[in-house]
Amino acid sequence: MKRLLALEFNRLLRQKSAIIIGILIVLISLSQVGVAQATAYEDFMGNTQYFFTARSIIESSFQLGNFQILLIGVITSLFIATDITQGTIRNKLIAGYSKMEVYLTQMILSISITILGLVLYHLLPLLFSGVITFPITEEDSGSLANFLIHVGFGYLLVIVGVVLTTWIAMKAKSTAGATIFTLLIFILGPTLMVIAKSVAEGILLANIDQFTDFELFEATQRQINEIFEWIYFYQIQRLNGPVSLFELIFGEPGINFFAEEIQSYIVKTLISSFVLLGLLIGVGGWRFSKSDLR
């Protein structure tokens, strides 16, 4: 399997679309640094301030709808679907590799592509952090530990999304189908989730006056959040701030992983993410090993 993995990495590095998308990700990151520098201003004390900083660029980079995330999902799906449509999977089976080995190799490769793509995007803001600053302040829950946990959750959740699209690509068996499903999941999934949560809150909170019955309003809002915390699209949207109209008005702008009310989100996100990864990799591999590749 190690040899197969090495061969697949070599094939990825020779693929023109992967190289082009890697360059695009770097250029997008560079443009974010440029915007941060261009929008800098001086405060009344004459100090330079930034609307966008290296920290904010990195923390806001985990939305599924962000262009760099879409590019990572697309290149992964295209790479895998091309492997199927061009018949190279059959060649691997003829060479003596099992279907499970082929499946696990594709999963490992998709996770590696995701990590590499995110690192490429984050590298430039970090390199230019001395210019556009990297603020870490306790007042906005911005401790270094909080930032590192935020990034860790971001990588985990994006990996889950890409592994999901990898599983779909392995089942779609066509480049067009794999690309379309990836875009639908990454673009429509978060949008539909925001709509569903806003509708749920509208129905359940519309008749509760928060000024006269604040405890009931708060308890109902908390119960809604506790349900949605099990949903993947809520988890990754919540990482980047408010997820619905009610949260935009009444919620916190960022996420403090050390706050008591966030512990439920942390536990549910970790449990559901690793269970989903286990199902997609373990059960998905077992099902793929039983499938007909014709």
Side-chain angles (χ1 to χ4, degrees):
M1 184 172 166
K2 289 182 179 179
R3 177 174 171 76
L4 179 59
L5 194 57
L7 290 172
E8 288 298 280
F9 270 109
N10 188 45
R11 184 168 72 90
L12 175 66
L13 294 176
R14 295 197 313 269
Q15 191 163 320
K16 291 182 180 179
S17 59
I19 296 172
I20 293 172
I21 286 179
I23 293 173
L24 285 175
I25 290 175
V26 173
L27 290 176
I28 294 169
S29 178
L30 183 60
S31 70
Q32 292 293 310
V33 173
V35 169
Q37 182 63 29
T39 55
Y41 65 96
E42 287 190 359
D43 60 18
F44 66 95
M45 296 290 292
N47 298 318
T48 302
Q49 303 292 335
Y50 294 88
F51 288 109
F52 307 100
T53 65
R55 173 187 161 197
S56 66
I57 291 172
I58 293 173
E59 286 186 337
S60 63
S61 65
F62 301 109
Q63 293 278 12
L64 288 182
N66 286 352
F67 196 44
Q68 72 275 5
I69 304 297
L70 291 176
L71 289 175
I72 292 171
V74 167
I75 187 55
T76 305
S77 297
L78 282 176
F79 182 77
I80 292 167
T82 301
D83 195 25
I84 296 174
T85 56
Q86 292 182 351
T88 51
I89 282 186
R90 293 187 185 89
N91 295 336
K92 295 170 189 173
L93 298 178
I94 294 172
Y97 298 105
S98 68
K99 289 181 181 178
M100 179 62 82
E101 287 178 316
V102 171
Y103 185 86
L104 291 178
T105 297
Q106 299 291 10
M107 285 294 176
I108 293 172
L109 198 66
S110 69
I111 293 173
S112 302
I113 292 172
T114 304
I115 294 173
L116 179 60
L118 288 173
V119 168
L120 280 176
Y121 184 81
H122 294 153
L123 188 58
L124 282 176
L126 286 176
L127 290 176
F128 284 93
S129 60
V131 178
I132 60 175
T133 73
F134 192 101
I136 295 292
T137 59
E138 294 294 340
E139 288 74 14
D140 59 353
S141 306
S143 68
L144 181 60
N146 195 69
F147 168 78
L148 293 175
I149 295 171
H150 185 119
V151 171
F153 269 73
Y155 272 72
L156 172 63
L157 289 169
V158 174
I159 285 172
V160 171
V162 174
V163 167
L164 174 61
T165 59
T166 299
W167 174 74
I168 292 174
M170 296 290 284
K171 295 179 72 66
K173 299 180 181 179
S174 71
T175 53
T179 303
I180 291 171
F181 277 117
T182 298
L183 293 176
L184 287 175
I185 289 173
F186 280 17
I187 295 175
L188 290 184
T191 302
L192 293 175
M193 190 282 308
V194 170
I195 293 173
K197 189 169 191 296
S198 295
V199 170
E201 289 173 328
I203 294 172
L204 296 176
L205 298 175
N207 297 320
I208 302 177
D209 190 337
Q210 63 157 327
F211 298 105
T212 59
D213 202 345
F214 179 75
E215 290 187 3
L216 178 60
F217 182 92
E218 191 177 46
T220 305
Q221 177 69 73
R222 186 166 56 249
Q223 289 170 358
I224 296 171
N225 288 340
E226 288 174 353
I227 293 172
F228 276 86
E229 282 171 353
W230 288 107
I231 302 174
Y232 169 73
F233 294 112
Y234 174 86
Q235 293 166 358
I236 196 163
Q237 292 292 100
R238 178 64 187 91
L239 188 69
N240 296 278
V243 183
S244 65
L245 180 60
F246 279 85
E247 287 188 19
L248 185 63
I249 297 174
F250 302 106
E252 296 293 332
I255 184 168
N256 179 6
F257 284 93
F258 297 98
E260 184 178 349
E261 62 272 15
I262 298 298
Q263 302 313 301
S264 173
Y265 165 83
I266 293 174
V267 171
K268 291 175 183 177
T269 298
L270 291 174
I271 291 174
S272 59
S273 294
F274 285 110
V275 167
L276 185 54
L277 283 174
L279 290 173
L280 291 171
I281 296 174
V283 178
W286 176 78
R287 290 292 301 271
F288 183 79
S289 66
K290 303 294 183 183
S291 65
D292 186 357
L293 297 179
R294 290 180 299 173

